[in-house]
Amino acid sequence: QVQLVESGGGLVQAGGSLRLSCAASARTFSSYAMGWFRQAPGKEREFVAAISWGGNRIYHADSVKGRFTISRDNAKNTVYLQINSLKPEDTAVYYCAAKGVDYGLTLGNYDYWGQGTQVTVSS
């Protein structure tokens, strides 16, 4: 079992930056691929970014490529999402997720999910 807790969300101005963190309880954190998803009001859940077990394979959605960066620190059991050049359309609840296989990382069939953290971007 893996428990995930997101933090770092909040209200920010367009053009600003923030870093989301996701702390995992698993002793075998390095055996899980990690992903970030988001869901805006009235919209479907959307893939944002993912990173493989060892961090050597990284994926970012086209909508965030060049602005968002996923990373992980296995020693701290933590995955991060650095968000730059925020836009109002980035407003959403951001979810951290863990997957016990190291493939299909851009898909939504992850095994564990956090509660989410709200990101609101004002213009």
Side-chain angles (χ1 to χ4, degrees), residues 48 60-70 82-85 87:
V48 175
H60 295 93
D62 289 342
S63 60
V64 306
K65 196 170 299 181
R67 298 188 300 118
F68 291 19
T69 303
I70 190 172
Q82 179 67 45
I83 308 177
N84 299 323
S85 302
K87 304 175 181 179

Side-chain angles (χ1 to χ4, degrees), residues 1 19 27 61 71 74 76 79 94 113:
Q1 292 293 120
R19 187 176 74 162
R27 291 183 288 108
S71 62
N74 289 347
K76 296 182 181 294
V79 63
Y94 284 71
W113 295 83

Side-chain angles (χ1 to χ4, degrees), residues 5-80:
V5 180
E6 303 96 334
S7 62
L11 175 63
V12 297
Q13 292 181 313
S17 299
L18 57 78
R19 187 176 74 162
L20 306 184
S21 297
C22 174
S25 63
R27 291 183 288 108
T28 57
F29 176 75
S30 62
S31 296
Y32 290 88
M34 302 296 297
W36 285 98
F37 295 78
R38 67 186 182 184
Q39 187 168 21
K43 298 181 67 176
E44 297 292 323
R45 185 185 62 195
E46 175 188 24
F47 167 77
V48 175
I51 186 167
S52 63
W53 293 344
N56 57 309
R57 289 183 289 115
I58 296 174
Y59 309 90
H60 295 93
D62 289 342
S63 60
V64 306
K65 196 170 299 181
R67 298 188 300 118
F68 291 19
T69 303
I70 190 172
S71 62
R72 68 189 296 162
D73 186 340
N74 289 347
K76 296 182 181 294
N77 282 13
T78 302
V79 63
Y80 305 96

